[in-house]
Amino acid sequence: MKIVDARVVLTSPGRNFVTLKVETDEGVTGLGDATLNGRELAVVGYLRDHVVPLLLGTDPYRIEDTWQALYRGAYWRRGPVTMAAIAAVDVALWDIKAKVAGLPLYQLLGGASRERVRTYGHASGRDIPELFDSIRARLAEGYPAIRVQTGVPGLERVYGVHHGATPDGARPVVEDWDTGAYLRSLPGVFDAVRQEFGPELTLLHDAHHRLTPIQAARLGKDLEPYDLFWLEDCTPAENQDGLRLVRRHTTTPLAIGEVFNTVFDYQTLVGEQLIDYVRSAVTHFGGVSPLRKLFDFAAQHQIKSAIHGPEDISPVGMAAAIHLDLAIHNFGIQEYAGHTPLTHEVFPHAYTFTDGYLHPGEAPGLGIELDEELASAHPYEPAYLPINRLQDGTIHDW
Ligand code: EZ4
Ligand code: CO
């Protein structure tokens, strides 16, 4: 079998998605997600100009060899653009191989280790009543676990919550931030949530890289009475050593890694067991092949998976994640923000979301298709994540 064509499809059925479609001389096709929120066109160019020409004529069964050739052959390694592009190829080739085998992808990854995949959803509100309504809405949808984000008194925007296309597409929305106000208000929010919803509900929180290690240590301690499933991205972890300090001070479980793109970002974090959950997405980590290796490394340190699943992972990336979730032993939880009805129409899929649990379905391959005609009716719209400024105007991590 040979790869005879590969196309990059950029579409915005509510938000932008980058999809690679690989075609073979035997008519079998594969899909991969390469969406990099706010930097989509860079990945489109990387794939179209530098990856697709290298794929033509190659054997789609040679997934590992192709991965290594794209990773090592570029000479310039790592980085989100490169690794999103390689991820799309890796996933598309797994899709092809599983389709030819006539098996859902999870079977090629070792088969099911569980019946279904537990998820968590997002709740947020400017104040407590709005937050409670949002939590009730997620519970009504069946979510067994909920990430809680709220407004901070004195700040205008609910942080860490972003909204599709920006009003002025060419420029990011500017938000405001005050770490002191956040640290003072958050424990009270979780106290109120526990009083209203009881001790059983699984609760998570995302600090979105906004704290220093000592601030993160304090927050982790202050949140201990509320029994969080995890505190996510408590501090930017490019400096992996900083997590030693956080870890020494708190038993609140820690999750990190949605912006990471290779195992090297995790060497200290996993090797010293400084975190409890790894957050990388198939889409941003070079695909199913390297993420599987990361999970095996994490398993040696009793660390579990928690694949990133916001709206900006396409249904193709989500499908790949769900197959992996079902197959690996050290599965933790799967984030599932869901997609717009139009997105589900552009990407018809076999995976299901029922009572808060996902299942990849039994269709051969990833179990996903791309309606190219509908996709082309919804072209790319420039959109950026917000940026953050402190009250004196200093740029802060978003
Ligand atoms: O802000 O995916 O845990 N989930 C998150 C996400 C990220 C976005 C960035 O594109 O933090 O909502
Ligand atoms: Co996050």
Side-chain angles (χ1 to χ4, degrees):
M1 201 186 260
K2 276 193 179 0
I3 295 174
V4 291
D5 194 15
R7 279 197 306 289
V8 186
V9 176
L10 178 57
T11 179
S12 182
R15 68 166 316 112
N16 295 313
F17 295 115
V18 180
T19 310
L20 179 71
K21 183 167 184 178
V22 176
E23 296 192 1
T24 62
D25 56 353
E26 292 181 22
V28 185
T29 62
L31 295 175
D33 177 27
T35 307
L36 187 61
N37 199 5
R39 295 294 185 271
E40 295 87 356
L41 299 180
V43 191
V44 170
Y46 192 104
L47 277 169
R48 191 195 49 214
D49 300 335
H50 301 297
V51 173
V52 168
L54 303 179
L55 290 180
L56 301 180
T58 63
D59 177 357
Y61 285 3
R62 297 184 64 175
I63 301 175
E64 182 68 18
D65 184 67
T66 301
W67 194 96
Q68 298 294 344
L70 291 173
Y71 181 78
R72 293 170 200 281
Y75 186 69
W76 310 107
R77 298 181 191 198
R78 308 170 65 183
V81 175
T82 299
M83 300 312 288
I86 297 178
V89 175
D90 181 83
V91 170
L93 298 191
W94 275 111
D95 190 18
I96 289 170
K97 193 184 281 279
K99 277 181 185 166
V100 173
L103 294 169
L105 174 59
Y106 75 83
Q107 294 290 9
L108 270 56
L109 301 173
S113 283
R114 58 196 48 78
E115 302 302 319
R116 52 187 191 156
V117 170
R118 178 170 64 151
T119 70
Y120 72 91
H122 297 174
S124 65
R126 271 168 303 181
D127 52 25
I128 301 271
E130 210 179 277
L131 172 64
F132 284 5
D133 286 347
S134 181
I135 294 174
R136 285 191 194 100
R138 293 297 85 75
L139 290 173
E141 288 159 8
Y143 280 102
I146 297 178
R147 186 189 82 163
V148 167
Q149 308 295 123
T150 58
V152 173
L155 299 186
E156 277 175 30
R157 302 279 299 245
V158 181
Y159 85 96
V161 177
H162 49 89
H163 313 272
T166 35
D168 169 9
R171 291 191 174 275
V173 167
V174 181
E175 299 187 348
D176 53 350
W177 184 247
D178 178 341
T179 301
Y182 165 74
L183 290 174
R184 285 190 296 276
S185 76
L186 194 67
V189 171
F190 274 93
D191 191 54
V193 171
R194 279 288 175 227
Q195 283 188 37
E196 181 72 13
F197 296 94
E200 310 274 323
L201 181 59
T202 301
L203 296 174
L204 307 84
H205 179 72
D206 192 345
H208 236 258
H209 318 106
R210 290 172 186 214
L211 308 175
T212 63
I214 197 67
Q215 290 167 339
R218 170 182 155 192
L219 183 64
K221 259 168 92 161
D222 288 350
L223 293 177
E224 279 170 24
Y226 310 111
D227 187 26
L228 267 60
F229 186 84
W230 78 42
L231 172 61
E232 177 184 345
D233 284 333
C234 59
T235 188
E238 291 96 323
N239 174 19
Q240 297 182 47
D241 296 344
L243 268 295
R244 292 198 193 103
L245 188 148
V246 184
R247 200 62 157 172
R248 275 201 292 273
H249 289 284
T250 182
T251 57
T252 294
L254 303 174
I256 286 187
E258 71 186 38
V259 303
F260 290 174
N261 44 69
T262 72
V263 68
F264 301 105
D265 297 319
Y266 285 104
Q267 273 185 323
T268 304
L269 295 179
V270 170
E272 296 185 23
Q273 204 164 347
L274 300 179
I275 57 175
D276 301 282
Y277 297 91
V278 296
R279 295 283 290 129
S280 289
V282 172
T283 304
H284 301 135
F285 203 75
V288 164
S289 305
L291 196 52
R292 176 67 195 251
K293 294 173 191 174
L294 172 68
F295 290 150
D296 288 345
F297 171 41
Q300 296 171 40
H301 302 275
Q302 294 158 290
I303 295 171
K304 293 190 174 184
S305 77
I307 298 181
H308 194 209
E311 305 89 332
D312 47 286
I313 298 293
S314 88
V316 177
M318 187 54 62
I322 302 165
H323 283 280
L324 202 44
D325 290 332
L326 199 72
I328 58 171
H329 176 254
N330 58 328
F331 168 76
I333 200 164
Q334 171 65 55
E335 183 180 32
Y336 182 61
H339 291 108
T340 63
L342 183 58
T343 301
H344 291 296
E345 268 185 69
V346 171
F347 298 96
H349 53 78
Y351 69 78
T352 52
F353 177 69
T354 315
D355 300 330
Y357 288 76
L358 288 158
H359 192 282
E362 300 298 338
L366 282 176
I368 186 140
E369 275 154 54
L370 170 63
D371 182 334
E372 288 188 63
E373 210 179 303
L374 190 56
S376 67
H378 299 279
Y380 170 74
E381 295 175 278
Y384 290 97
L385 285 162
I387 59 169
N388 226 355
R389 288 189 187 276
L390 305 180
Q391 268 146 350
D392 70 357
T394 308
I395 282 277
H396 194 68
D397 301 81
W398 184 75

Short mmCIF file of all heavy atoms in Angstrom, two decimals, residues 15 36-38 120 122 147 160-162 206 208-209 230 232-233 258 279 284 308-313 335 385 398, ligand 1:
data_model
loop_
_atom_site.label_atom_id
_atom_site.label_comp_id
_atom_site.label_asym_id
_atom_site.label_seq_id
_atom_site.Cartn_x
_atom_site.Cartn_y
_atom_site.Cartn_z
N ARG A 15 -15.64 27.02 15.49
CA ARG A 15 -14.26 27.36 15.84
C ARG A 15 -13.36 26.66 14.83
O ARG A 15 -13.80 25.77 14.10
CB ARG A 15 -13.93 26.94 17.25
CG ARG A 15 -13.87 25.44 17.47
CD ARG A 15 -13.22 25.11 18.78
NE ARG A 15 -12.03 25.91 18.97
CZ ARG A 15 -11.91 26.87 19.89
NH1 ARG A 15 -12.88 27.11 20.72
NH2 ARG A 15 -10.81 27.58 20.00
N LEU A 36 -4.12 23.74 16.38
CA LEU A 36 -3.33 24.44 17.39
C LEU A 36 -4.00 25.81 17.58
O LEU A 36 -3.82 26.72 16.77
CB LEU A 36 -1.88 24.59 16.92
CG LEU A 36 -0.88 25.15 17.93
CD1 LEU A 36 -0.76 24.27 19.17
CD2 LEU A 36 0.49 25.31 17.27
N ASN A 37 -4.77 25.89 18.65
CA ASN A 37 -5.66 27.04 18.87
C ASN A 37 -4.92 28.38 18.76
O ASN A 37 -3.97 28.64 19.50
CB ASN A 37 -6.27 26.89 20.28
CG ASN A 37 -7.51 27.72 20.47
OD1 ASN A 37 -7.99 28.36 19.54
ND2 ASN A 37 -8.03 27.71 21.69
N GLY A 38 -5.37 29.22 17.85
CA GLY A 38 -4.78 30.55 17.68
C GLY A 38 -3.55 30.60 16.80
O GLY A 38 -3.06 31.69 16.47
N TYR A 120 -14.76 14.52 32.67
CA TYR A 120 -15.20 15.68 33.46
C TYR A 120 -15.57 16.80 32.51
O TYR A 120 -15.06 16.90 31.39
CB TYR A 120 -14.16 16.13 34.49
CG TYR A 120 -12.92 16.81 33.94
CD1 TYR A 120 -12.88 18.21 33.80
CD2 TYR A 120 -11.80 16.09 33.59
CE1 TYR A 120 -11.73 18.85 33.33
CE2 TYR A 120 -10.66 16.73 33.12
CZ TYR A 120 -10.63 18.10 32.99
OH TYR A 120 -9.51 18.73 32.53
N HIS A 122 -16.96 21.16 32.23
CA HIS A 122 -16.59 22.50 32.73
C HIS A 122 -17.79 23.24 33.29
O HIS A 122 -18.81 23.35 32.62
CB HIS A 122 -16.03 23.35 31.59
CG HIS A 122 -14.77 22.83 31.00
ND1 HIS A 122 -14.18 23.39 29.89
CD2 HIS A 122 -13.96 21.80 31.37
CE1 HIS A 122 -13.08 22.72 29.60
NE2 HIS A 122 -12.92 21.75 30.47
N ARG A 147 -15.08 20.48 36.52
CA ARG A 147 -14.05 21.50 36.73
C ARG A 147 -14.74 22.81 37.05
O ARG A 147 -15.60 23.26 36.29
CB ARG A 147 -13.19 21.65 35.47
CG ARG A 147 -12.01 22.58 35.64
CD ARG A 147 -11.32 22.88 34.32
NE ARG A 147 -12.00 23.94 33.59
CZ ARG A 147 -11.46 24.63 32.57
NH1 ARG A 147 -10.24 24.35 32.16
NH2 ARG A 147 -12.14 25.56 31.95
N GLY A 160 -9.65 31.85 32.45
CA GLY A 160 -9.42 30.49 31.97
C GLY A 160 -10.56 29.95 31.13
O GLY A 160 -10.57 28.79 30.76
N VAL A 161 -11.54 30.81 30.81
CA VAL A 161 -12.69 30.37 30.02
C VAL A 161 -12.68 31.21 28.75
O VAL A 161 -12.73 32.43 28.82
CB VAL A 161 -14.00 30.61 30.79
CG1 VAL A 161 -15.20 30.23 29.93
CG2 VAL A 161 -14.00 29.84 32.09
N HIS A 162 -12.59 30.56 27.61
CA HIS A 162 -12.44 31.34 26.37
C HIS A 162 -13.60 31.07 25.45
O HIS A 162 -14.31 30.09 25.57
CB HIS A 162 -11.12 31.01 25.69
CG HIS A 162 -10.90 29.55 25.56
ND1 HIS A 162 -11.34 28.84 24.49
CD2 HIS A 162 -10.32 28.67 26.40
CE1 HIS A 162 -11.02 27.57 24.66
NE2 HIS A 162 -10.41 27.43 25.82
N ASP A 206 -8.57 24.46 37.53
CA ASP A 206 -7.46 24.78 36.63
C ASP A 206 -6.93 26.17 36.97
O ASP A 206 -7.65 27.16 36.83
CB ASP A 206 -7.98 24.73 35.18
CG ASP A 206 -6.88 24.75 34.14
OD1 ASP A 206 -5.72 25.08 34.50
OD2 ASP A 206 -7.17 24.43 32.97
N HIS A 208 -4.39 27.49 35.47
CA HIS A 208 -3.99 28.05 34.17
C HIS A 208 -2.66 28.82 34.21
O HIS A 208 -2.57 29.94 33.70
CB HIS A 208 -5.12 28.94 33.63
CG HIS A 208 -5.58 28.53 32.27
ND1 HIS A 208 -5.20 29.18 31.13
CD2 HIS A 208 -6.37 27.51 31.88
CE1 HIS A 208 -5.76 28.58 30.09
NE2 HIS A 208 -6.47 27.56 30.50
N HIS A 209 -1.66 28.22 34.84
CA HIS A 209 -0.28 28.74 34.80
C HIS A 209 -0.10 30.11 35.45
O HIS A 209 0.84 30.83 35.12
CB HIS A 209 0.23 28.88 33.35
CG HIS A 209 -0.12 27.76 32.44
ND1 HIS A 209 -1.07 27.84 31.47
CD2 HIS A 209 0.38 26.52 32.35
CE1 HIS A 209 -1.15 26.69 30.80
NE2 HIS A 209 -0.28 25.87 31.32
N TRP A 230 -8.03 17.19 41.39
CA TRP A 230 -6.73 17.78 41.08
C TRP A 230 -6.78 19.28 41.01
O TRP A 230 -7.83 19.88 40.85
CB TRP A 230 -6.13 17.23 39.79
CG TRP A 230 -6.68 17.75 38.48
CD1 TRP A 230 -6.99 19.05 38.15
CD2 TRP A 230 -6.89 16.99 37.30
NE1 TRP A 230 -7.39 19.12 36.85
CE2 TRP A 230 -7.35 17.87 36.30
CE3 TRP A 230 -6.72 15.64 36.99
CZ2 TRP A 230 -7.66 17.44 35.01
CZ3 TRP A 230 -7.03 15.24 35.70
CH2 TRP A 230 -7.50 16.12 34.72
N GLU A 232 -4.92 21.90 38.53
CA GLU A 232 -4.24 21.79 37.24
C GLU A 232 -3.40 23.03 36.94
O GLU A 232 -3.80 24.15 37.28
CB GLU A 232 -5.33 21.64 36.16
CG GLU A 232 -4.79 21.59 34.74
CD GLU A 232 -5.91 21.55 33.71
OE1 GLU A 232 -7.07 21.26 34.08
OE2 GLU A 232 -5.61 21.82 32.54
N ASP A 233 -2.27 22.81 36.28
CA ASP A 233 -1.40 23.89 35.82
C ASP A 233 -1.27 25.00 36.86
O ASP A 233 -1.49 26.17 36.59
CB ASP A 233 -1.91 24.47 34.49
CG ASP A 233 -1.60 23.55 33.31
OD1 ASP A 233 -0.62 22.79 33.40
OD2 ASP A 233 -2.32 23.60 32.31
N GLU A 258 -0.88 20.22 29.42
CA GLU A 258 -1.63 20.46 28.18
C GLU A 258 -0.82 21.24 27.16
O GLU A 258 -1.11 21.15 25.96
CB GLU A 258 -2.98 21.14 28.46
CG GLU A 258 -2.87 22.58 28.90
CD GLU A 258 -4.21 23.18 29.30
OE1 GLU A 258 -5.02 22.48 29.93
OE2 GLU A 258 -4.45 24.35 29.00
N ARG A 279 -1.40 15.65 31.25
CA ARG A 279 -2.53 16.28 30.57
C ARG A 279 -2.38 16.38 29.06
O ARG A 279 -3.20 17.03 28.41
CB ARG A 279 -2.67 17.72 31.11
CG ARG A 279 -3.04 17.83 32.54
CD ARG A 279 -4.52 17.55 32.75
NE ARG A 279 -5.36 18.59 32.21
CZ ARG A 279 -6.40 18.41 31.38
NH1 ARG A 279 -6.70 17.21 30.96
NH2 ARG A 279 -7.13 19.40 30.98
N HIS A 284 -1.42 17.41 20.35
CA HIS A 284 -0.29 18.32 20.55
C HIS A 284 0.99 17.60 20.96
O HIS A 284 2.00 18.24 21.23
CB HIS A 284 -0.65 19.39 21.58
CG HIS A 284 -1.85 20.19 21.18
ND1 HIS A 284 -2.87 20.49 22.04
CD2 HIS A 284 -2.18 20.70 19.97
CE1 HIS A 284 -3.79 21.18 21.37
NE2 HIS A 284 -3.40 21.30 20.12
N HIS A 308 -6.06 16.05 27.53
CA HIS A 308 -6.67 17.37 27.32
C HIS A 308 -7.82 17.24 26.31
O HIS A 308 -7.62 16.70 25.22
CB HIS A 308 -5.58 18.29 26.76
CG HIS A 308 -5.90 19.75 26.79
ND1 HIS A 308 -5.38 20.62 25.88
CD2 HIS A 308 -6.68 20.48 27.62
CE1 HIS A 308 -5.82 21.84 26.15
NE2 HIS A 308 -6.60 21.79 27.20
N GLY A 309 -8.99 17.74 26.67
CA GLY A 309 -10.15 17.60 25.78
C GLY A 309 -11.03 18.82 25.71
O GLY A 309 -12.24 18.73 25.88
N PRO A 310 -10.42 20.01 25.47
CA PRO A 310 -11.25 21.21 25.34
C PRO A 310 -11.92 21.26 23.97
O PRO A 310 -11.70 20.36 23.15
CB PRO A 310 -10.22 22.34 25.47
CG PRO A 310 -9.00 21.76 24.84
CD PRO A 310 -9.02 20.29 25.19
N GLU A 311 -12.68 22.32 23.72
CA GLU A 311 -13.39 22.46 22.44
C GLU A 311 -12.42 22.54 21.27
O GLU A 311 -12.80 22.27 20.13
CB GLU A 311 -14.23 23.75 22.43
CG GLU A 311 -15.22 23.89 23.57
CD GLU A 311 -14.62 24.58 24.79
OE1 GLU A 311 -13.38 24.48 25.01
OE2 GLU A 311 -15.40 25.20 25.53
N ASP A 312 -11.18 22.96 21.55
CA ASP A 312 -10.25 23.16 20.43
C ASP A 312 -9.48 21.89 20.04
O ASP A 312 -8.63 21.94 19.15
CB ASP A 312 -9.28 24.33 20.70
CG ASP A 312 -8.65 24.30 22.08
OD1 ASP A 312 -9.35 24.61 23.06
OD2 ASP A 312 -7.46 23.98 22.17
N ILE A 313 -9.79 20.77 20.67
CA ILE A 313 -9.37 19.47 20.12
C ILE A 313 -10.52 19.02 19.22
O ILE A 313 -11.66 18.94 19.69
CB ILE A 313 -9.17 18.43 21.26
CG1 ILE A 313 -8.07 18.85 22.22
CG2 ILE A 313 -8.91 17.03 20.69
CD1 ILE A 313 -6.67 18.87 21.66
N GLU A 335 -10.97 14.78 29.90
CA GLU A 335 -11.70 16.04 29.79
C GLU A 335 -12.59 15.98 28.54
O GLU A 335 -12.14 15.53 27.49
CB GLU A 335 -10.71 17.21 29.67
CG GLU A 335 -11.36 18.58 29.63
CD GLU A 335 -10.32 19.70 29.50
OE1 GLU A 335 -9.27 19.48 28.88
OE2 GLU A 335 -10.58 20.81 30.03
N LEU A 385 -6.78 33.13 21.47
CA LEU A 385 -7.05 33.04 22.89
C LEU A 385 -6.85 34.43 23.49
O LEU A 385 -6.12 35.26 22.92
CB LEU A 385 -6.08 32.05 23.54
CG LEU A 385 -6.39 30.58 23.28
CD1 LEU A 385 -5.17 29.72 23.57
CD2 LEU A 385 -7.57 30.13 24.12
N TRP A 398 -1.71 33.64 30.71
CA TRP A 398 -3.17 33.47 30.62
C TRP A 398 -3.56 32.07 31.02
O TRP A 398 -2.93 31.12 30.61
CB TRP A 398 -3.67 33.74 29.19
CG TRP A 398 -5.16 33.65 29.15
CD1 TRP A 398 -6.06 34.57 29.63
CD2 TRP A 398 -5.95 32.55 28.66
NE1 TRP A 398 -7.35 34.12 29.45
CE2 TRP A 398 -7.31 32.88 28.87
CE3 TRP A 398 -5.64 31.33 28.07
CZ2 TRP A 398 -8.36 32.04 28.50
CZ3 TRP A 398 -6.67 30.48 27.71
CH2 TRP A 398 -8.03 30.85 27.92
O1 EZ4 B 1 -7.31 26.91 27.84
O2 EZ4 B 1 -7.55 24.43 25.28
O3 EZ4 B 1 -7.84 22.35 30.65
N1 EZ4 B 1 -8.19 22.95 29.68
C1 EZ4 B 1 -7.77 24.18 29.32
C2 EZ4 B 1 -8.20 24.67 27.97
C3 EZ4 B 1 -7.19 25.61 27.31
C4 EZ4 B 1 -7.43 25.71 25.83
C5 EZ4 B 1 -6.33 26.46 25.10
O4 EZ4 B 1 -6.50 26.37 23.72
O5 EZ4 B 1 -7.02 24.79 30.05
O6 EZ4 B 1 -9.47 25.24 28.06
#
